[in-house]
Amino acid sequence: MNAQLVAVLALAVGTYAFRLAGPVLQGRVELPDRIRELLGAGATVLLVALLATGALTAGHEFAGWARPAGVVVGGVLAWRRAPFAVVVVAAAAVTGLLRLAGLP
């Protein structure tokens, strides 16, 4: 068994154990309210960081203005509770139209 396969298996076991820990420990571990608030804020910060990285960068460089504009349009539509398909199509359409107009 090579080292890469061992690493993949170890990560798979760790991921499964991490996911299983929630349902198994629910009701057995009581977290203080402040920790619960921080965990909720941490999840939000992590998601926003992933969104910003994906929307603003391509490789190691700035992705251009078309992609962030599409993400903003999608975000506004999602905030206004538009259907998911409308959000995706509108964001892609705005990005495509801006790139067609020559905006990188």
Side-chain angles (χ1 to χ4, degrees), residues 42-54:
T44 303
V45 168
L46 179 63
L47 289 174
V48 169
L50 288 172
L51 174 71
T53 302

Side-chain angles (χ1 to χ4, degrees), residues 7-104:
V8 168
L9 290 174
L11 289 173
V13 168
T15 300
Y16 186 75
F18 192 73
R19 289 177 178 238
L20 189 63
V24 169
L25 296 177
Q26 185 177 12
R28 294 182 184 179
V29 176
E30 189 66 32
L31 295 175
D33 289 338
R34 180 71 179 143
I35 297 296
R36 288 181 185 213
E37 291 175 12
L38 289 175
L39 287 174
T44 303
V45 168
L46 179 63
L47 289 174
V48 169
L50 288 172
L51 174 71
T53 302
L56 298 176
T57 61
H60 295 288
E61 297 181 5
F62 181 59
W65 292 105
R67 190 188 302 175
V71 170
V72 168
V73 168
V76 169
L77 288 174
W79 175 55
R80 302 299 300 173
R81 299 188 185 266
F84 180 71
V86 172
V87 171
V88 172
V89 169
V94 167
T95 302
L97 288 173
L98 288 175
R99 286 185 178 163
L100 191 64
L103 196 65

